[in-house]
Amino acid sequence: MWLAKMAWKNIWRNRNRTIITMAAIFFAVILSVIASSLQAGIFDNLVKNVVSFYTGYMQVHKQGYWDEQILDNSFESSAETEKKILQNKNVTSVTERLESFALASSEDITKGCLVVGINPEKENEVTLLRNKLTQGSYLQDNDNAVLLSQGLAKRLQLKVNDTIVLMGQGYHGATAAGKYRIKGLVKFGSPDLNDKALFMPLATAQDFYSAYGMVTSYVLSLSNTKDLQPTESSVRLAIGAGYEVMTWEQMIPDIKQHIETDSNNMKYVQGILYMLICFGIFGTLLMMMVERKFEMGMLVAIGMKKSTLVILMLFESLLTVIAGCLSGIIISIPLVHYLNKHPIKIGGETAKAYERFGFEAIFPTSTEASNFIHQGLIVLVIGLVLSLYPMYKIIRINPVTAMKR
Amino acid sequence: MNTVIDAHNISKVYNPETIPVYAVNNVHLHLERGEFTALVGPSGSGKTTLLNMIGGLDKPDGGNIFINGNDITKLSANELIDFRLKNIGFVFQSFNLIPVLTAKENVEFIMQLQKIKQSERDERIKQLFQQIGLEDKLNERPSKLSGGQQQRVAVARALASKPQFVLADEPTANLDTKSASNLLDIMAKLNKEENITFLFSTHDQRVIDRARRVITLVDGRIVKDTAVVSTEHKEAATIR
Ligand SMILES: Nc1ncnc2c1ncn2[C@@H]1O[C@H](COP(=O)(O)OP(=O)(O)OP(=O)(O)O)[C@@H](O)[C@H]1O
Ligand SMILES: [Mg+2]
């Protein structure tokens, strides 16, 4: 105990040096916490945006559908299969879709479009489709009507309450044709979807394509969106080999890749940050050892065990580093929360890239506690590893040479 | 007879391969309990080297050193640290004290290293500070003490663990005449009243005059070893 007290007093023997060390650690923690929570926030936001557009976090199809996305690769929707999927605790809801292509015409314009048969209420739970409505009203289960994406409506020069004519190839070669009222317009950030998508109730779509009882995919919502792999394998196991289970990472690999490149870049930034902390701490440690060489030699001379001296040093390092870390974390908590409420806006090329994926480049920080703890621990470990140096010096100290002036 | 230090034939050679320097050359030294002995000699004569070896800080290249009958040349570096803690009191030329501790704490921590009980420590501190005449400076940091006062605290610390003897390498070198004489008064008094053994090196003639035995080193060899019969007479002389 007296040793800890002595360590505390030693810390303050050179107030400026200690304050500089603590400040270095303090700012390092703040910077790395903000950097990492910003990064985590950006990615979470990116994934959430992309995934909630359309694909969802996970989908189930008939085996082989993803490679050949045609109606003949659809499967019969069954309450039993849905139940099996829902047995997984991480799956909160399942919604069916029947997707295929068709030609859409107004009076004299014809364009290709993606027809998506949906369960309006469940679809809204997964992809928040209702929020994307800009005009008109949302679909109901038995409507003989469609929601049109803005871009497609513009190309076809159609507006709400106009009639759209669809033509295409149905299930097993049947001819598909129909006339539908436009009930509303939806807006997608992704140009691809915005120029192509057309939504109608599932039953209407099945009727149009003569694909009665058939769906092309189940879209799953997850409660813990980070637990992808285990959920995937357990769902796969539950429904058997006739189906393929795909995560968003597999369905939109470019996003996954983008995240990986970006987080590697961030690792360099953090690496440099950590290196700066290392130099800062090490510099002060070196100064301290030079300053206290005589005193340490004297302590060993009068009978202080080197192990006791090492413990003293350890206390001193611990107190300094922990004080810096803790104050850094304490200050960064409100900062990160502020940046979560008032997100950073990114401009330039990056912004364009994000807009291409279909959403604004606004990035709230992630306020996940693990971020703070993680960064705090890294800095703590750096501090402790560096304090091995003075300990090594102490173990090798020779009182006679140390006390020579 | 009560032998405290018995050094046989000890030597220390620096740079044995290139130009050998015999810092200490075949020295025999014998010290009894209660001695008050000065080690003198010109600069570079080997005083510090000899004291360091006797204090177990440095190993001789030849010979044996018995402290209270134990051959300390046979001890490992770690055993020596413990041996020093329990058997030898040190007073260095300067910077003896830890600047962040008060005078009292500087004396106390050496007893804490020995795991001496609080009550016993308190008692000892009270007694020691009385003996060095600094009862009123217990809670001062070293920076608030004069050089002489700091050296007196160093003497108190050296005595805290009740060592076999106290080694002091030029304890007065950085002190003015008055402080030096004052420190010597305290050391002499402790020697006389508590029978504490002192071995100190010095250049200062007035300090030499206070010793009861004077050993003179030249080029690492003892060239003279004189016992002074009447200290009282000398003390009277200095006071005047
Ligand atoms: N580490 C060392 N390496 C080489 N030579 C040394 C070393 N330490 C001491 N010496 C030499 O040993 C001799 C004795 O030195 P020592 O310090 O013991 O003398 P001293 O009597 O204490 O001198 P002073 O009165 O100046 O303190 C000197 O010639 C010195 O140069
Ligand atoms: Mg010397």
Side-chain angles (χ1 to χ4, degrees), chain A residues 6 8 74 90 111 120 147 152-153 159 169 172 178 182 198 213 224 240 250 257 296 303 308 320 362 391:
Chain A
M6 192 159 154
W8 177 250
S74 59
N90 200 25
K111 294 277 171 204
L147 293 180
L152 185 61
K159 44 188 202 306
Q169 196 175 37
H172 286 320
I182 298 168
L198 181 154
N224 180 354
Q250 293 163 316
Q257 207 170 10
M296 297 206 167
T308 314
T320 314
I362 293 179
M391 290 178 200

Side-chain angles (χ1 to χ4, degrees), chain B residues 137-175:
Chain B
K137 301 279 190 242
L138 274 173
N139 294 315
E140 298 288 0
R141 291 266 180 115
S143 56
K144 292 272 173 63
L145 301 177
S146 72
Q149 289 170 333
Q150 289 181 31
Q151 289 303 75
R152 278 146 71 185
V153 176
V155 168
R157 182 193 62 194
L159 293 175
S161 52
K162 304 198 172 165
Q164 300 292 330
F165 60 92
V166 175
L167 288 182
D169 193 3
E170 309 203 32
T172 61
N174 288 359
L175 301 184

Side-chain angles (χ1 to χ4, degrees), chain A residues 19-39:
Chain A
I19 286 172
I20 289 170
T21 314
M22 284 184 179
I25 296 169
F26 171 83
F27 285 114
V29 168
I30 289 187
L31 282 176
S32 64
V33 163
I34 288 182
S36 76
S37 51
L38 186 60
Q39 189 198 25

Side-chain angles (χ1 to χ4, degrees), chain A residues 2 6 9-10 13 294-295 298-306 308 398-400 403-405, chain B residues 52 57-58 81-82 84-85 90 92 94-101 105 109-110 112-113 141 157:
Chain A
W2 63 273
M6 192 159 154
K9 287 178 179 163
N10 273 329
R13 75 163 51 201
F294 180 93
E295 182 182 314
M298 195 258 305
L299 287 173
V300 173
I302 63 175
M304 189 159 185
K305 279 203 202 75
K306 287 181 181 180
T308 314
N398 173 343
V400 174
M403 291 171 72
K404 204 158 239 155
R405 296 234 153 199
Chain B
N52 282 348
L57 292 170
D58 214 351
I81 294 179
D82 205 43
R84 293 198 294 266
L85 175 65
F90 289 93
F92 302 104
S94 54
F95 303 104
N96 269 289
L97 306 179
I98 301 170
V100 297
L101 299 184
E105 289 164 340
F109 95 91
I110 196 105
Q112 285 167 317
L113 284 178
R141 291 266 180 115
R157 182 193 62 194

